[in-house]
Amino acid sequence: MDDVQQLGEMLRHYAESEAHKKQLFESQSTVWATRISELFDQIGQWLEPVLAPNLLEVNREVYVVSGPSIALDTSPFRTEKLSILIAGKPVEFVPDVMGAGGQITLAVMGLTAARFGSVSLVCQPPASSWQWRKTNGLKDPDIFPFDAGFLAQQLQGLIPRDRV
């Protein structure tokens, strides 16, 4: 095989590899979008009994995931974000660029009081359950199972207390 034939063979293998990567990403994106939608449906069901105008509102909107290496207009991953407005304070569940092994991470904004802390929801396939991860500085994150009661506890902290 001469160099030109070898070049052609290398390009063919590369094209097949890129097509496979694209197909894998597209199928994974479908799984991610479905899991995120299911989570948002579940949160909506949990909060439905206590929804009240100007006190507790839940909204979903289209969201295009982007990051430092992915421009918003070329991002291939379109999903939703969920916003909760409780006692005038916003809480948002915003999908991050997806991680290795199919990991789904949602940034949770509006619920951390720590100066350098962050809160996220993480689902690491093949597991189907979501975990609440709170990080604060360099120590290991605090991890809790995410369910209706846990979400309610977190939201309770945003309701102003009567000062007597």
Side-chain angles (χ1 to χ4, degrees):
M1 179 184 303
D2 70 14
D3 291 339
V4 173
Q5 287 176 322
Q6 185 174 354
L7 175 63
E9 190 65 20
M10 289 172 69
L11 287 171
R12 188 179 65 73
H13 284 298
Y14 176 77
E16 289 172 0
S17 171
E18 288 302 303
H20 175 71
K21 283 188 220 173
K22 184 174 190 234
Q23 179 186 10
L24 188 62
F25 178 81
E26 287 172 357
S27 65
Q28 190 65 59
S29 293
T30 301
V31 171
W32 292 327
T34 300
R35 294 299 317 280
I36 290 168
S37 181
E38 289 170 352
L39 172 68
F40 290 172
D41 288 345
Q42 185 68 62
I43 291 171
Q45 289 171 9
W46 292 341
L47 297 177
E48 188 173 6
V50 293
L51 291 178
N54 301 318
L55 290 177
L56 180 67
E57 299 175 6
V58 177
N59 295 300
R60 291 163 79 157
E61 61 187 78
V62 174
Y63 182 75
V64 179
V65 178
S66 63
S69 61
I70 302 173
L72 188 60
D73 57 343
T74 60
S75 175
F77 186 57
R78 300 180 191 296
T79 183
E80 295 178 292
K81 75 175 184 175
L82 180 104
S83 301
I84 298 172
L85 188 65
I86 179 163
K89 296 183 176 129
V91 176
E92 288 188 326
F93 294 81
V94 182
D96 284 340
V97 175
M98 303 309 154
Q103 176 177 304
I104 306 169
T105 305
L106 303 174
V108 181
M109 294 177 279
L111 281 173
T112 182
R115 184 172 172 196
F116 297 108
S118 67
V119 175
S120 59
L121 282 178
V122 177
C123 181
Q124 180 67 55
S128 60
S129 58
W130 290 87
Q131 294 180 328
W132 182 272
R133 291 190 184 180
K134 185 173 185 176
T135 59
N136 190 1
L138 299 175
K139 68 178 189 165
D140 289 338
D142 296 322
I143 299 173
F144 305 93
F146 184 68
D147 59 21
F150 189 84
L151 176 61
Q153 288 174 356
Q154 301 309 305
L155 294 175
Q156 287 170 18
L158 296 176
I159 299 172
R161 305 276 190 247
D162 286 337
R163 293 194 172 91
V164 181

